[in-house]
Structures are given as C-alpha cells and as structure tokens.
Amino acid sequence: MRVLGLLGTLLLLSLRVYAASLTVLDVTTLGEDPQTTNRLNGEAFQQDALVTFNARPGFQYAAYYISDASNTSVRHPTLARRALNGTNKPWESFSFTDYNQTEDDGHDIISLGISHGDGTLHIGFDQHDNDLNYRVSQAGVATNPTEVNWTSELFGSLLDQLPGTEALDKSVYFVNVTYPRFLSIPDAAESNGADLLLELRVGRSGLGDDWLYKYTPNKGWSQIGRYLQGVNNNAYINGIDFDIRGNLLTSWTYRDYVNDTGQIVAVQAGPNGPENNHDLNFAYSADLGETWLNNWNQTIANMTAQEPVVPSSAGIVIFGIPKYGGILNQEAQTVDNQGRLHVLNRENTTGTERWYHYWRSTTAHWTRTPLPLAPELESANNITGTPTVIGKRGKVVAPPQSPHHSVLLILPSNAENSTALSILRSTAAGHFRDWETVWEAPSGCGWEPLFDRYRLDASSGGDGVLSLFLVNGTAIQVVDFDLTDV
C-alpha cells in the first residue's frame, strides 16, 4: 500500500481557488482494480466500502476485490485496515483466497459492517439474485485491533444464513439476495441492545422485496421483517440512515416489471432497466423498522402484523416522476445534524437530464431543486451538465461539524471517456440553493465515488475527515480531505 507518486498527486490537486475549499490531506492506494467490463469496486449501493471504528487507536477498514495473482478472471474479496492516530498508518490487507469471484457483474459488490458491542466485522458479498454470501469475524477484532494479527483466519467459513436465524427457512429468506447494506445503530435509537442493521433485497429486478435484520452483540441476527414489498415492481433505495433522534429514514424509486420470459436478459440491465423507474418515495421508522410512517406521520406498515409498505401505501410519493422521466435507482441520500434528509438523483422531466437535490426540512417540508450549470458554479469540469440516465452516480455528504450546516455533493462526470470529479457545496443559510464548487479534478474518478460516513462524525469517534473511495484507472484509492473550511 503506497502513497501516490508526485504525478498522480498533482492530477488530484489540479484545483482552482474558491471562496470555500477542500484540502487534500492524503492519497493512498489499496490495490489494483480488477479490469472487468462491469465494475466490482465503487458501486453507489456499496454500503459500505470504508468504515471507521473508534477503537483506541481508531482504525479505518476497507472492503474491495482484487484479482488473483495468477488468474485475472478470478477475484478475491479483500479487507484492509489502517490506524488513524494523528498520522494515518500504512494499509495492511488480506484476501479470502478460499473464495473465487468469477461473475463479471457489477451488482456483486462487498459491503462491510462492524458491531460496536462485540467488535465483530461482517461482510456480505458476491450476490446478484443468488444465495446469501456472508462471513463474520471473531469477537474483539475491531475493539482490540492491536491484539490481533490481520489475516483471513480471523473469519469463519462462508455462510448462507445469518447466525441466529436458524429457525427461518433459508430457501425462502436467504435466496435471490442482492444489495446487502449494513448500518450501525446509534445510541439514540431504541434497539434493545442491537447495534447493527442489515438491509437486503430478496427477488429480482422488477420483482423484489426489501428486508431488515438486526444484530445483537454476542447473540446474533434476528429478523425485523419485510418492510418494502414490490407489487409487480421493486423498490430501489437510495440508502438507509438514522437521524439525530434515532429515526430510520429511507427514500426510493420503484421499477416496474416488464415480462422478459424467453428473452436474453443482460447482466446489468433490461428490459427491466432504469427506463422503468418512477417517483421519489419516502418513509421513516421511529422503532428500528418495526413500524413505518409516511411524511405526515401516518402509520403505513407494521412488521409484527406482516404489513409492509407497498406501492399503494398512503403518502409515500413525495415527487411524482413518470417512467422514462430519467430518475436513476440507488443514487444517494444522507441526513444532516439537524435531521434534514438530503437526496441526490436525476431527472429529464424538463427535456434535459439534470441532477436534482431533494431535501426534507425539520418541519417535513420537501424542496426539489435542479443543480446549476457550469457558468454559475465556475466549474472547469461542467459536471452538472453531463448526467445521463445510466451514468455514474454521485454521493451527498452532510459534515456533522460544519459551522455552516453545509451539504456536499460528490459528482463524477458522466461525459464520455471522462474521469473528472467535482465537489459542490451549499448551506442551510442559502436554503441549499447557493451551490459553489469547492474542489475538482480533471481526472481520477473512473467509477462511482464512495465515502466513509463514520469517519466524518467526531461526536461518534471519527476525526471529521472526509475519506473518499475512488477507482482511479487501475488503482483503488482512498483520498482524505480536510473539511475545516466547509
């Protein structure tokens, strides 16, 4: 694991001077990205590829694939870590060489979660409508990081069912799995001791349901329930996040099913493709997913009664966006330190594909704003003028310690053959309309950017640094930014 050479650093630091700006603190390389047709690293729905855990000293963890040393058509799941103790230490890594990933399918990402209670690391990986692939480490790996040797021997064997759910029929609940997502449960949430969530889809594109599970340290997983049920469609969530009160928030678009019986179905798309996406929807839960409410605080789902949110549930559609309206699935969402939900997506409802910022105020009022174009942003990259209906997706970040209550958009260029990246900023005082460019580079982002949500928050053990996970050519890199000025 090495720091980029001078040339690579200069490419990432080719900046203009802005009123507010980000400073690059460090650029490190995790490994070589497998040169597959469909990216396996750096997908927008990879929640999460980077996770910081406040262990003393704090450690940052990364999950990704690298190619087998002797056969590039085989990839191995890989985990890396580094100490964050004043100065970032070098990354150390290992691969699960007992597992061969061979499908050239960008859905087959790795997601990483960590239990604060018992220090176990959890990964879900290499699944697109197939049986669960899950591994968990020994207890204490994250809570006592300096006392363990960082090797694959810390993990048990591959599992096709979550430990603790043996009473469930795995042929029903853990088949046709896609998009595993982990999320730490904050102290503000009423969890009865659980400290980690797992969200996943069961079913296929256009015909799937979303399920929630919770992990209790030293005990195992238990099922919360099917909270989003597709009805001749499936929900594609932008993410799951907790707000400052411990409410669990999600937003999503639906994709309607197109009968493709007898057709050759592409790995990455249709005929059940993003052209069939429609609407921006929202719901939240105040009790860790047991019941769900709409924007007007009306109960619309109850897991105990096996009543999930369905497409006809009252009040879930926040903005009606028709099919062929340009909205993409699984773009981005985040919650700021005042409890406002921010969603990034795109539309062509005016005839031109544009990125949009949607946000929910502290009084549950929603605003929908297209991002300004390059002249207004003083952007050399013209990022906001490039989105396409299936182009690279971005991320939205709300730095918890920002004195301006800023929101950042991390936007990759969708222009043909471009790897440009820009970061935009707006503020609460400007009603999140005062967008400006605070950092950009003409190259370096070959696929979708990801970030470490846990390192951002100093109040929960992070150091307030923005760490981006980027695929830069053949390199998988982590770029760290100082957020002092934002």
Side-chain angles (χ1 to χ4, degrees):
M1 308 315 167
R2 60 183 179 83
V3 177
L4 274 180
L6 179 61
L7 178 60
T9 303
L10 288 176
L11 284 175
L12 281 166
L13 298 180
S14 298
L15 312 179
R16 300 175 65 179
V17 177
Y18 303 102
S21 62
L22 300 184
T23 301
V24 175
L25 298 172
D26 196 12
V27 183
T28 52
T29 298
L30 289 165
E32 290 191 13
D33 185 56
Q35 296 304 289
T36 49
T37 300
N38 302 297
R39 296 288 187 183
L40 296 168
N41 296 311
E43 294 280 2
F45 41 80
Q46 196 174 353
Q47 186 175 326
D48 287 296
L50 283 177
V51 177
T52 289
F53 185 86
N54 183 36
R56 301 234 190 326
F59 272 72
Q60 186 176 47
Y61 298 84
Y64 52 98
Y65 289 104
I66 62 170
S67 295
D68 183 83
S70 59
N71 184 355
T72 57
S73 66
V74 171
R75 280 77 57 180
H76 300 301
T78 301
L79 294 180
R81 71 173 187 177
R82 62 173 173 176
L84 302 175
N85 190 13
T87 301
N88 294 348
K89 305 299 183 183
W91 291 97
E92 54 179 334
S93 66
F94 65 80
S95 296
F96 293 100
T97 56
D98 63 345
Y99 187 90
N100 295 334
Q101 197 285 332
T102 57
E103 293 291 326
D104 191 340
D105 183 345
H107 300 82
D108 292 339
I109 49 86
I110 308 174
S111 289
L112 170 66
I114 301 178
S115 166
H116 285 235
D118 62 16
T120 48
L121 277 65
H122 305 252
I123 57 171
F125 58 99
D126 192 24
Q127 44 209 7
H128 184 196
D129 302 342
N130 58 287
D131 294 352
L132 181 73
N133 286 325
Y134 165 85
R135 296 183 99 142
V136 59
S137 77
Q138 302 167 10
V141 171
T143 46
N144 299 291
T146 59
E147 298 178 15
V148 299
N149 293 321
W150 187 243
T151 71
S152 61
E153 294 179 359
L154 294 171
F155 283 74
S157 60
L158 180 69
L159 300 177
D160 59 4
Q161 185 162 13
L162 295 174
T165 65
E166 289 77 13
L168 298 177
D169 184 347
K170 68 179 181 181
S171 69
V172 173
Y173 297 101
F174 298 111
V175 295
N176 299 324
V177 172
T178 315
Y179 309 127
R181 296 173 183 257
F182 295 99
L183 183 67
S184 291
I185 300 172
D187 293 338
E190 294 294 331
S191 66
N192 293 320
D195 68 0
L196 189 65
L197 288 180
L198 171 63
E199 200 270 5
L200 48 81
R201 187 186 80 189
V202 174
R204 54 161 297 182
S205 175
L207 292 173
D209 306 323
D210 284 65
W211 293 78
L212 278 172
Y213 293 82
K214 61 183 178 181
Y215 179 79
T216 303
N218 302 307
K219 293 183 179 179
W221 292 94
S222 58
Q223 187 183 84
I224 296 174
R226 176 175 59 178
Y227 76 108
L228 293 175
Q229 180 181 0
V231 180
N232 290 318
N233 59 21
N234 78 276
Y236 278 110
I237 67 171
N238 294 309
I240 50 173
D241 293 274
F242 285 99
D243 68 12
I244 55 175
R245 299 174 185 83
N247 296 319
L248 184 62
L249 285 67
T250 189
S251 64
W252 70 94
T253 184
Y254 280 113
R255 178 177 297 179
D256 289 349
Y257 176 66
V258 175
N259 190 336
D260 54 13
T261 302
Q263 300 184 46
I264 298 174
V265 180
V267 169
Q268 294 299 112
N272 286 286
E275 67 277 4
N276 300 307
N277 296 348
H278 59 90
D279 299 332
L280 179 69
N281 305 274
F282 166 78
Y284 78 96
S285 173
D287 55 7
L288 204 66
E290 295 289 345
T291 58
W292 288 85
L293 294 82
N294 65 18
N295 193 62
W296 295 272
N297 302 319
Q298 298 168 318
T299 299
I300 55 174
N302 185 305
M303 299 303 96
T304 302
Q306 298 184 7
E307 297 172 348
V309 178
V310 295
S312 60
S313 292
I316 61 172
V317 179
I318 302 302
F319 295 111
I321 301 167
K323 287 196 289 188
Y324 299 95
I327 189 169
L328 189 54
N329 44 287
Q330 302 152 299
E331 189 111 32
Q333 70 167 45
T334 198
V335 181
D336 69 23
N337 63 3
Q338 300 300 303
R340 293 174 288 235
L341 177 68
H342 299 267
V343 178
L344 171 69
N345 215 301
R346 60 191 77 193
E347 302 178 26
N348 66 8
T349 46
T350 61
T352 303
E353 193 80 12
R354 295 276 296 272
W355 261 304
Y356 278 72
H357 173 227
Y358 316 83
W359 63 281
R360 181 179 187 258
S361 74
T362 56
T363 58
H365 174 77
W366 282 86
T367 301
R368 175 192 203 178
T369 309
L371 296 188
L373 298 176
E376 186 178 344
L377 292 168
E378 298 184 356
S379 168
N381 284 340
N382 186 30
I383 292 284
T384 55
T386 68
T388 60
V389 70
I390 55 172
K392 289 178 285 188
R393 289 163 286 201
K395 285 295 177 189
V396 55
V397 178
Q401 277 69 50
S402 169
H404 308 288
H405 302 292
S406 296
V407 166
L408 303 177
L409 298 181
I410 305 164
L411 300 179
S413 176
N414 285 187
E416 188 174 1
N417 299 322
S418 175
T419 63
L421 181 69
S422 295
I423 301 179
L424 311 184
R425 167 188 177 260
S426 67
T427 64
H431 203 63
F432 302 113
R433 295 180 184 270
D434 55 341
W435 293 103
E436 62 175 337
T437 307
V438 292
W439 187 91
E440 61 182 4
S443 63
C445 183
W447 201 233
E448 295 170 345
L450 306 174
F451 72 97
D452 185 342
R453 72 184 66 221
Y454 303 104
R455 190 174 184 185
L456 276 173
D457 192 356
S459 67
S460 62
D463 57 10
V465 170
L466 172 62
S467 284
L468 295 189
F469 179 103
L470 301 176
V471 176
N472 182 3
T474 62
I476 310 163
Q477 296 177 331
V478 178
V479 183
D480 298 329
F481 291 88
D482 180 1
L483 296 179
T484 302
D485 290 339
V486 301

